[in-house]
Amino acid sequence: MTTTTGSSSTFTRDDLEPALAAHRGELTGYCYRMLGSAFDAEDAVQDTLVRAWKGIAGFEGRSGLRSWLYRIATNVCLTMIENRGKRARPMDLSAAAWEPVEASLAARRPEDTWLEPMVDERVLPEAGDPAEIAVARESIRLAFVAALQHLPPRQRAVLVLRDVLRWKADEVAALLDTTTASVNSALQRARATLAERPDVERTEPLDARHEALLDEYVRAFEAYDIDAFVKLLAADVTQNMPPFELWLAGAEDIAAWMLGPGHQCRGSQLVPVTMNGSPAYVHYKPIGEHGELVPFAIQALELADGKIARITSFLDTRLFGLFGFPVEPPARA
């Protein structure tokens, strides 16, 4: 048995693995906020834990295992951002909405262009202080994670560590090998940038009114009752469907899309999940002569003022495997 001794802690190879695994969830949340990608976050955390395992002999224990892991994870994320760039939403690529016609499907980009969703259970604590859990949930909302991608990487790290994880300025300075003054300056600039993005505003907690709205959404979509569907949408609603560059604005254009190029979604089934701190649905679409339901998309909804404000349909079916969603929808009573 190998034993590694630091100034304040001792690890054996037998107890190191569970010690590292205990931090996987929070590290995944941190890397997801930094990278905007569920796949990249998983890769970053795996790389972090492998590096920690290989480098544990050099761990001195002065800063604690958690701080040491965050230092490694930050360096991994900064390198990944440098090599792969930032993630985007279709609305970030064009100022004007697209026409709800089939020709709009001609423009698409590789999957690694786009912001990706994240299931809550992988990144949010199961128990703890309710206020801290609320902050954690807000900080994985799609709008917030998308806004983070507009920050320079080190500012992004500072803001997440200070405002989300509640680290002290001197702790962040030690992690980033910089000064407290530099951390405070970066935090001020990052907050100013986010303040310029109106979609970063906090959302209302789900209540009975929202639950009723979501029930109506599922009924209208599965029945393909477009008249009922559009009544649930906000006046400034948008819809986007990565990996396609197109995005739609307004209930009229979304209805035209659903009755036009999107008509093959008639007969779909939605299964509720919770992603990015908000309601979402695993979308199974019928294909073939017998209408067999197959994985098609993950629909993430953003609500505002009792209406559906944004619909994002992530068409990357690899996400089904990553999150462990079944290839067939569960049977209904």
Side-chain angles (χ1 to χ4, degrees), residues 91-103:
M91 296 82 73
D92 297 325
L93 304 182
S94 61
W98 293 53
E99 294 295 321
V101 295
E102 190 165 359

Side-chain angles (χ1 to χ4, degrees), residues 98-110 114 241 243-247 257 261:
W98 293 53
E99 294 295 321
V101 295
E102 190 165 359
S104 294
L105 292 173
R108 62 183 295 166
R109 297 199 183 190
W114 306 109
M241 293 164 279
F244 297 106
E245 292 183 29
L246 78 98
W247 61 280
W257 179 270

Side-chain angles (χ1 to χ4, degrees), residues 113-147:
T113 304
W114 306 109
L115 186 75
E116 294 170 353
M118 174 63 77
V119 290
D120 288 12
E121 62 189 27
R122 294 205 173 195
V123 296
L124 295 182
E126 296 181 0
D129 181 83
E132 293 181 0
I133 294 176
V135 170
R137 181 175 292 108
E138 285 288 331
S139 68
I140 61 167
R141 289 192 304 113
L142 282 171
F144 185 82
V145 178

Side-chain angles (χ1 to χ4, degrees), residues 50-72:
V50 169
R51 293 189 188 194
W53 180 270
K54 292 180 177 179
I56 192 65
F59 173 55
E60 298 178 351
R62 288 194 299 267
S63 61
L65 179 64
R66 182 172 182 262
S67 297
W68 183 61
L69 290 174
Y70 269 92
R71 175 187 286 270
I72 297 173

